Amino acid sequence: MGRKRSGRRPGRPDTRQQILAAAREIFAAEGYERSSIRRIATAAEVDPALIHHYFGTKDKLFLEAVEAPFDPKTVIPEVFGPGITDVGERLVRAFIGVWDSPNGTRAEAFLRSAVNHPFMSKLVEQFILNHIIKTALNNLDAEIDHVSVRGSLIASQLLGLAVARYLVKLSAIRDLSPDTLAKIYGPTIQRYLEMDLTDLHLPPSD
Amino acid sequence: MGRKRSGRRPGRPDTRQQILAAAREIFAAEGYERSSIRRIATAAEVDPALIHHYFGTKDKLFLEAVEAPFDPKTVIPEVFGPGITDVGERLVRAFIGVWDSPNGTRAEAFLRSAVNHPFMSKLVEQFILNHIIKTALNNLDAEIDHVSVRGSLIASQLLGLAVARYLVKLSAIRDLSPDTLAKIYGPTIQRYLEMDLTDLHLPPSD
C-alpha cells in the first residue's frame, strides 16, 4: 500500500491482494459491522463490483482477510443446532476436528498470526465475536446473557488447548484422544456458557 | 556456537551467553533431570566452576536459560501451602499478579518465544512440568494422580487466559478484574486438579 496512488486501478494480478490489504485495514479500524464493501473499495481504489466479483459477500471477504482456517457457518449448526445440552463436548470435538484436519496448518498460521501481530489480533477478536459467537448463539435454542464475556471465556480455553496441544506441544495433552479431550474440556466450555454471572459486577450484558 | 572451537575458553564477556546457549541445547535434548552442570560445561567448553560462579545452582541456570518470567519457588508456597481448598482461585490470582507486574513484559516475551520456537517449547514444557507442577505438588498436602496430565490441563487454561488477555487482547477479558477472573477460572483449575480421571483410559499415572 506504500505506492503512489493514481486513481482507480483496473483488475490486475495484485488486485486481489490489494483488496485484502485494504479490507484488513478497514475491518481492524472500523469493526466488521461498520465496514462496508464500498468503503473497502475506496481504500483499495477499485470498483466495489470488483470486490463482489473476487470475493462474493462481505462475510466471505472477511474470512479471506482474516485467513480463517474454516468457515464457522459450516461447523456451527452441527455444534449448536442440537441444543444447549452437551454443546461444550460437541464444540471441543469440532474444534479438534479442524486442527487435526488438513486445515490444521492454516489454523496454526492463523493462531501464530493472532499472537504475533497486534493488527491481526483485532481481526481475530472480530472473527471470534462476530463470526463464531453470534452465529453460534443464533443457532442455539436458549437465551444467553453476557454474550461477549462468555464467548471470550470459551475462546480462552480453546486458544489454550490449541497452544498447549499444537504450538507448545505439551506431551501429556498431545497424547490424549479427541474423545478424552472432549470429556475433560466439554464441561469447562459448558460452564462458561451457562454459569451464573450475577454477583461478579460485570459491565451491562450485551 | 558456530565458531571454531579450540579448547576450553577462559571467562570472557560472551562466556555467560555461551553457557546459556549450551544449557538450552542440553536441557532441550536431555531434559532437566538428566542434564548436569558438568555436561553443560563440556558443551560450552568452560570449567564447571565457572557455571556455578555465574549462575549458582542448576535450578537457577535453568530459569535463566528458559528466560522464566518469575521464580516459581517464590510464588508456589503461597498458592499451594494453604492446602488444596481454593488452590485454583489462588493460582489464578498469582498468575495474573505476575502478568500485571513489571515482570509482565518478560512473561509476554516468554510466551511468544514458547509459541514461535519449537526449540523453546521443549524448555517451556520442562519449566511447567519440573519447576512449577512438581514443586507445587510438593507443597500440597494431598495425593494427586496423573500429575503430568493435570498439570498440563491447568497450564492449558492459564496459557489460554494469557493469550486471550495479554496477546490477542480480547476486550471482554481485558476488562475483567483479577478478582472476577479468579472467581471464573478458579473452579476450572480446581476441577483439573481434583476431577476423577478414571474411565478416561489415560496412560498409567505418574
Side-chain angles (χ1 to χ4, degrees):
Chain A
M1 300 288 290
R3 286 168 294 173
K4 189 158 178 291
R5 296 178 182 185
S6 50
R8 301 208 161 187
R9 293 197 188 83
R12 283 192 317 211
D14 63 341
T15 305
R16 214 171 169 281
Q17 290 309 315
Q18 192 84 12
I19 293 169
L20 285 174
R24 286 187 192 107
E25 226 171 74
I26 304 293
F27 282 132
E30 309 279 334
Y32 179 78
E33 297 298 343
R34 285 199 305 272
S35 301
S36 67
I37 293 273
R38 180 163 296 278
R39 176 79 187 79
I40 291 165
T42 305
E45 300 177 346
V46 300
D47 194 273
L50 203 60
I51 297 188
H52 287 294
H53 167 73
Y54 275 119
F55 297 98
T57 61
K58 181 170 99 168
D59 188 61
K60 285 185 181 155
L61 172 61
F62 180 84
L63 292 180
E64 289 277 342
V66 76
E67 292 172 346
F70 66 102
D71 183 345
K73 280 203 218 55
T74 65
V75 175
I76 284 171
E78 72 188 65
V79 172
F80 290 83
I84 200 164
T85 308
D86 291 332
V87 75
E89 274 198 39
R90 289 196 301 274
L91 183 52
V92 174
R93 274 179 226 278
F95 182 77
I96 293 172
V98 169
W99 280 86
D100 286 348
S101 80
N103 274 339
T105 321
R106 202 168 149 94
E108 198 177 314
F110 176 78
L111 182 52
R112 275 187 213 284
S113 166
V115 165
N116 290 319
H117 307 299
F119 183 74
M120 283 300 284
S121 304
K122 298 297 286 178
L123 296 179
V124 167
E125 175 163 20
Q126 289 174 41
F127 178 62
I128 293 174
L129 289 181
N130 286 297
H131 283 76
I132 303 188
I133 297 172
K134 288 187 185 168
T135 314
L137 296 179
N138 282 336
N139 271 266
L140 198 62
D141 59 351
E143 282 291 316
I144 303 288
D145 66 344
H146 294 293
V147 166
S148 297
V149 171
R150 292 182 194 280
S152 301
L153 294 174
I154 292 169
S156 80
Q157 179 58 91
L158 294 180
L159 285 169
L161 167 56
V163 167
R165 186 170 160 94
Y166 301 100
L167 298 191
V168 177
K169 299 188 171 75
L170 296 180
S171 53
I173 291 200
R174 280 209 66 91
D175 289 349
L176 298 179
S177 69
D179 192 56
T180 300
L181 291 168
K183 284 179 184 143
I184 289 173
Y185 287 109
T188 299
I189 307 291
Q190 197 75 29
R191 176 170 162 264
Y192 293 160
L193 188 64
E194 298 195 86
M195 72 180 284
D196 185 0
L197 292 175
T198 48
D199 301 334
L200 287 183
H201 310 293
L202 300 185
S205 185
D206 55 355
Chain B
M1 299 289 289
R3 285 169 293 173
K4 188 157 180 291
R5 296 177 182 185
S6 51
R8 301 208 162 186
R9 293 196 189 84
R12 282 191 317 209
D14 63 342
T15 304
R16 215 172 168 282
Q17 291 309 317
Q18 191 83 13
I19 294 168
L20 284 175
R24 286 188 192 106
E25 224 171 74
I26 303 295
F27 282 132
E30 309 279 334
Y32 179 78
E33 298 298 344
R34 283 199 306 272
S35 302
S36 67
I37 293 272
R38 179 162 297 279
R39 176 78 187 78
I40 291 165
T42 305
E45 300 177 346
V46 300
D47 194 273
L50 203 60
I51 297 188
H52 287 293
H53 167 73
Y54 274 119
F55 298 97
T57 60
K58 181 171 101 169
D59 188 61
K60 285 184 180 157
L61 172 61
F62 180 84
L63 292 179
E64 289 278 340
V66 75
E67 291 171 347
F70 67 100
D71 183 345
K73 278 202 218 57
T74 65
V75 175
I76 284 171
E78 72 188 64
V79 172
F80 289 83
I84 201 164
T85 308
D86 291 332
V87 74
E89 275 198 38
R90 289 195 301 275
L91 182 54
V92 175
R93 275 179 224 279
F95 183 76
I96 293 173
V98 169
W99 280 86
D100 286 347
S101 80
N103 274 339
T105 322
R106 203 168 148 94
E108 197 176 314
F110 175 77
L111 182 52
R112 276 187 212 285
S113 164
V115 165
N116 290 318
H117 307 299
F119 183 74
M120 282 300 285
S121 304
K122 297 298 286 178
L123 296 179
V124 168
E125 175 164 19
Q126 289 174 41
F127 178 62
I128 293 173
L129 289 181
N130 286 297
H131 283 76
I132 304 187
I133 296 172
K134 288 188 185 167
T135 313
L137 296 179
N138 282 335
N139 272 265
L140 198 62
D141 59 352
E143 282 293 315
I144 304 287
D145 66 344
H146 294 293
V147 167
S148 297
V149 171
R150 293 183 194 279
S152 301
L153 294 174
I154 292 170
S156 80
Q157 178 58 90
L158 294 181
L159 284 168
L161 166 57
V163 167
R165 186 169 161 93
Y166 302 100
L167 298 191
V168 178
K169 298 189 172 75
L170 296 180
S171 53
I173 291 199
R174 279 208 69 90
D175 290 349
L176 298 179
S177 68
D179 193 56
T180 300
L181 291 168
K183 284 178 183 143
I184 289 172
Y185 288 109
T188 299
I189 307 291
Q190 196 77 29
R191 176 170 162 265
Y192 294 160
L193 188 64
E194 299 194 86
M195 73 181 283
D196 186 359
L197 292 176
T198 48
D199 301 334
L200 287 183
H201 310 294
L202 300 185
S205 184
D206 53 356

